[in-house]
Amino acid sequence: MAGPGFWGLPAGPILLLLLPQALPEGPLVFVAVVFRHGDRAPLASYPTDPHKEAITVLWPRGLGQLTGEGVRQQLELGRFLRNRYEAFLSPEYRREEVYVRSTDFDRTLESAQANLAGLFPEAAPGRPEAAWRPIPVHTVPVTEDKLLRFPTRSCPRYHELLREATEAAEYQTALEGWTDFLTHLENYTGLSLVGEPLRRAWKVLDTLMCQQAHGLPLPSWASPNVLRTLAQISALDIGAHVGPPRAAEKAQLTGGILLDAILANFSRVQRLGLPLKMVMYSAHDSTLLALQGALGLYDGHTPPYAACLGFEFRRHLGDPDEDAGNVTISLFYRNDSSGLPLPLNLPGCPGSCPLGRFRQLTAPARPPAHGVPCHGSREPATPAGDGHGRWVGSVGGPESHDSHSRVLPAATVVPLLAGAVAVLAGLSMGLGLLAWRPGCLRAWGGPV
């Protein structure tokens, strides 16, 4: 199933985007990777699930938790990254070179740790106690995470956009074609599915796929055809979230935030001459799907466990007459550990894409500098900085989505500055973004 490209134009399957490199590659200067957690237990059961009475035996760590296979997948991904960046990263972890951010879920935190154990030898399993070193992984509470877990549930405007997509004729026609299927599935599962959000049907698929992957027998009604139909329903639901209509505006409220942060982190590193080389994000399939949507690369498939989307920033070695300092961005997608990662092309920019062109093409999908209002079209606009968290983004851009704080409301900042001594006020001005980061005073403009 082909997904939307930029502005809702067909992008085609990712494999069709493989084109020759248009520009010779230069030296690597910065990397950002976003990966899904490893294999996990099902998120939920259903009333007629034949295995529900054995949940504590089958999944001793609990539903939704990382499995041993998930740990192995992340170790393997970490080793892949070590292989790929052997000449770029230091042999051992250096905090000024690598920053790791995760959502606040056990499975993503553990995935990050397992990945780092594969990437850095001192964190690897089996090391002698005296030689073993843990590596920090940063996170924020789920309710405060605006970078990797998007505020779609609390954003009226996003709900309006989603409603527009689900009320479209194409969506409704597809949904009507599955009414009988969902009715039968209700009888099989004991769940109410007709007229309910499609995510409920996806959870049935998730449970079945997890059980099948771990060698558990599926009920007789869960035939390959049923699983395929559930996958098609899931793809329709995902397309409504990240695709047309108004795909770019949806992206500004979701994956465009992370995309903007990645670009801002690179710009800050270059502007301030920071030694930071890599930022790693341990997240979810929904994070990768939203990012693919912002890039115009969603192809109708859900990223598998440990899937990894990478951004590689290089100094472009172009023609002698060209600017030797020109930066290009290359994208890769690793969704199968048995093969090489797929080089991806941003729609409209084949091969290594010049940074300026990349910014230009993705600008409609990234939040503007003044932030994106979450209020609905029928709801009065809430002024920025009113303390209610109704805006995604800020005047400060993606740097304000820090791992340890929010942008202070203007009504709070003014009296605080007025009451501060001159030295502290000057220091706050000098430190800029760091004034918003009480728990992350690690470097000028630490990464998000």
Side-chain angles (χ1 to χ4, degrees):
M1 170 180 168
F6 281 121
W7 307 294
L9 299 176
I14 282 181
L15 288 176
L16 296 183
L17 292 171
L18 305 184
L19 299 174
Q21 292 289 316
L23 301 173
E25 290 190 341
L28 196 61
V29 292
F30 185 74
V31 174
V33 293
V34 184
F35 54 88
R36 187 187 180 191
H37 56 76
D39 179 83
R40 56 158 171 76
L43 295 176
S45 182
Y46 54 91
T48 63
D49 182 0
H51 304 293
K52 68 177 181 179
E53 300 302 329
I55 283 178
T56 56
V57 176
L58 296 171
W59 318 107
R61 303 191 68 204
L63 294 176
Q65 296 297 309
L66 198 68
T67 65
E69 173 63 12
V71 172
R72 187 199 64 77
Q73 290 170 342
Q74 287 296 333
L75 276 168
E76 186 177 49
L77 177 58
R79 290 168 184 149
F80 160 79
L81 294 174
R82 167 51 62 184
N83 231 14
R84 190 174 182 92
Y85 302 120
E86 183 68 40
F88 180 60
L89 296 175
S90 295
E92 295 189 340
Y93 169 76
R94 296 180 63 183
R95 65 187 294 272
E96 65 271 20
E97 284 189 1
V98 178
Y99 185 87
V100 189
R101 168 80 179 260
S102 171
T103 58
D104 193 21
F105 288 78
D106 291 352
R107 60 183 176 271
T108 50
L109 290 163
E110 291 179 4
S111 289
Q113 292 164 354
N115 189 310
L116 290 166
L119 179 57
F120 293 106
E122 68 269 33
R127 294 276 290 184
E129 184 176 334
W132 180 78
R133 293 289 183 274
I135 295 174
V137 176
H138 303 268
T139 191
V140 296
V142 174
T143 55
E144 297 178 19
D145 196 343
K146 305 299 186 291
L147 186 68
L148 302 177
R149 294 283 293 181
F150 313 113
T152 53
R153 294 183 181 179
S154 59
C155 182
R157 179 55 184 158
Y158 184 82
H159 284 287
E160 285 185 356
L161 295 170
L162 186 58
R163 190 180 310 116
E164 182 179 350
T166 56
E167 291 176 354
E170 182 181 357
Y171 184 98
Q172 287 297 317
T173 299
L175 197 58
E176 288 170 8
W178 286 318
T179 300
D180 289 344
F181 172 83
L182 292 174
T183 300
H184 288 302
L185 201 62
E186 285 185 337
N187 296 330
Y188 291 135
T189 63
L191 290 173
S192 175
L193 298 172
V194 178
E196 297 292 336
L198 293 185
R199 180 171 173 79
R200 185 170 293 191
W202 170 82
K203 283 190 174 181
V204 174
L205 175 64
D206 177 72
T207 300
L208 295 173
M209 295 301 291
C210 288
Q211 292 173 345
Q212 186 180 62
H214 287 263
L216 298 177
L218 299 186
S220 58
W221 55 263
S223 65
N225 186 55
V226 166
L227 297 181
R228 276 194 300 271
T229 304
L230 282 170
Q232 292 169 356
I233 292 173
S234 175
L236 177 71
D237 186 41
I238 294 168
H241 282 79
V242 304
R246 304 182 192 271
E249 188 176 352
K250 290 177 196 169
Q252 289 181 1
L253 296 164
T254 55
I257 300 171
L258 177 55
L259 177 58
D260 205 42
I262 290 170
L263 294 174
N265 283 339
F266 170 74
S267 296
R268 205 166 32 189
V269 165
Q270 295 297 296
R271 185 175 66 252
L272 300 176
L274 300 176
L276 182 67
K277 292 183 177 182
M278 176 184 279
V279 177
M280 304 172 67
Y281 299 101
S282 179
H284 309 265
D285 56 352
S286 58
T287 314
L288 279 167
L289 287 166
L291 187 56
Q292 289 174 349
L295 290 166
L297 293 175
Y298 171 62
D299 72 339
H301 297 90
T302 301
Y305 294 127
C308 178
L309 178 58
F311 297 72
E312 297 179 337
F313 295 73
R314 298 176 184 272
R315 294 288 177 194
H316 167 43
L317 303 179
D319 297 331
D321 294 336
E322 294 185 11
D323 179 7
N326 189 26
V327 173
T328 60
I329 301 180
S330 299
L331 303 174
F332 74 82
Y333 185 51
R334 184 180 188 265
N335 63 350
D336 182 358
S337 61
S338 65
L340 295 174
L342 305 174
L344 302 182
N345 294 278
L346 189 73
C349 196
S352 298
C353 190
L355 179 58
R357 178 68 173 154
F358 190 98
R359 288 184 180 278
Q360 179 187 35
L361 287 171
T362 60
R366 292 184 286 115
H370 56 74
V372 181
C374 258
H375 62 79
S377 58
R378 299 181 182 180
E379 180 182 353
T382 306
D386 72 341
H388 296 293
R390 300 303 299 271
W391 288 72
V392 178
S394 71
V395 176
E399 291 93 329
S400 63
H401 300 288
D402 184 77
S403 59
H404 294 283
S405 65
R406 293 179 178 177
V407 179
L408 291 175
T412 305
V413 172
V414 173
L416 282 176
L417 292 179
V421 296
V423 174
L424 290 178
L427 181 59
S428 296
M429 293 295 289
L431 289 178
L433 290 172
L434 296 185
W436 300 338
R437 297 187 163 116
C440 196
L441 298 177
R442 56 190 298 272
W444 283 91
V448 292

